[in-house]
């Protein structure tokens, strides 16, 4: 599982459940080792240093161990994709990749091995049902969670998608928060705190 190797002070603060000010203070006093991005004021903290800092200060390191959940967004609506990716990245618990067609989705699922796919059903090249079937038929990806999204409303199409392996379905347009809540449910994560 690919985990982050370098953190910003904000990310480190979230992981340690302390304020960003505290992290910056510890960084500046040398208690927390890291480096500054050349030519900027930005501080960066390597994972191993953050681990040592947490251990030395009695902060549970499981938040650092759990890694981020990998999400693949497959949709040819660039605006929607950007919106979803933005919300997930701000949440801080997700790593996001995006593709805009079924062919790339197939390649990316193999290479990236996401925990969850947000899949538009109406893709330009192949339909979402086919993507579901492909993901499910491959032993290495069969346990990936799939949330289908679409503007189409016929209930029988929805049941076809579920039969093909979709775990959940959301009609467009939807609230991004609702999508994230469903993702958290499927991945057994804490719901997003507002």
């Amino acid at each position: 599982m690919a985990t982050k190797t370098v953190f910003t002070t904000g990310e480190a603060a979230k992981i340690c459940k302390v304020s960003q000010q505290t992290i910056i203070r510890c960084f500046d006093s040398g208690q927390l080792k890291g480096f500054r991005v050349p030519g900027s004021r930005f501080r960066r903290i390597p994972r191993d240093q953050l681990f040592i800092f947490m251990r030395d200060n009695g902060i549970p390191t499981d938040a650092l161990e759990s890694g981020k959940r990998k999400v693949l967004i497959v949709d040819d609506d660039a605006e929607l994709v950007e919106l979803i990716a933005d919300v997930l990245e701000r949440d801080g618990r997700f790593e996001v990749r995006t593709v805009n067609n079924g062919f790339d989705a197939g390649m990316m699922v193999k290479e990236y091995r996401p925990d969850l796919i947000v899949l538009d059903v109406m893709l330009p090249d192949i339909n979402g049902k086919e993507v579901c079937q492909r993901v499910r038929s491959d032993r290495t990806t069969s346990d990936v969670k799939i949330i289908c999204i679409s503007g189409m409303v016929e209930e029988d199409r929805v049941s076809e998608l579920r039969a093909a392996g979709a775990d959940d379905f959301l009609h467009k347009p939807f609230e991004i928060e609702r999508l994230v809540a469903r993702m958290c449910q499927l991945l057994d994560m804490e719901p997003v705190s507002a």
Side-chain angles (χ1 to χ4, degrees), residues 51-61:
F51 185 86
I52 292 165
F53 172 79
M54 291 171 79
R55 198 191 53 205
D56 292 351
N57 288 282
I59 301 167
T61 51

Side-chain angles (χ1 to χ4, degrees), residues 41-108:
R41 307 187 332 276
F42 298 123
R43 302 163 177 88
R44 291 289 180 273
I45 299 143
R47 184 189 173 81
D48 49 44
Q49 293 298 335
L50 187 58
F51 185 86
I52 292 165
F53 172 79
M54 291 171 79
R55 198 191 53 205
D56 292 351
N57 288 282
I59 301 167
T61 51
D62 53 353
L64 193 55
E65 296 308 301
S66 62
K68 294 192 175 193
R69 300 306 174 95
K70 302 201 303 193
V71 178
L72 176 63
I73 303 170
V74 187
D75 198 326
D76 59 338
D77 175 347
E79 257 177 66
L80 180 65
V81 168
E82 202 176 312
L83 203 61
I84 299 172
D86 189 48
V87 169
L88 293 180
E89 275 159 7
R90 274 209 313 268
D91 178 285
R93 297 177 295 169
F94 301 97
E95 187 186 309
V96 185
R97 298 270 177 94
T98 63
V99 293
N100 58 11
N101 61 63
F103 178 77
D104 286 349
M107 305 288 288
M108 188 60 95

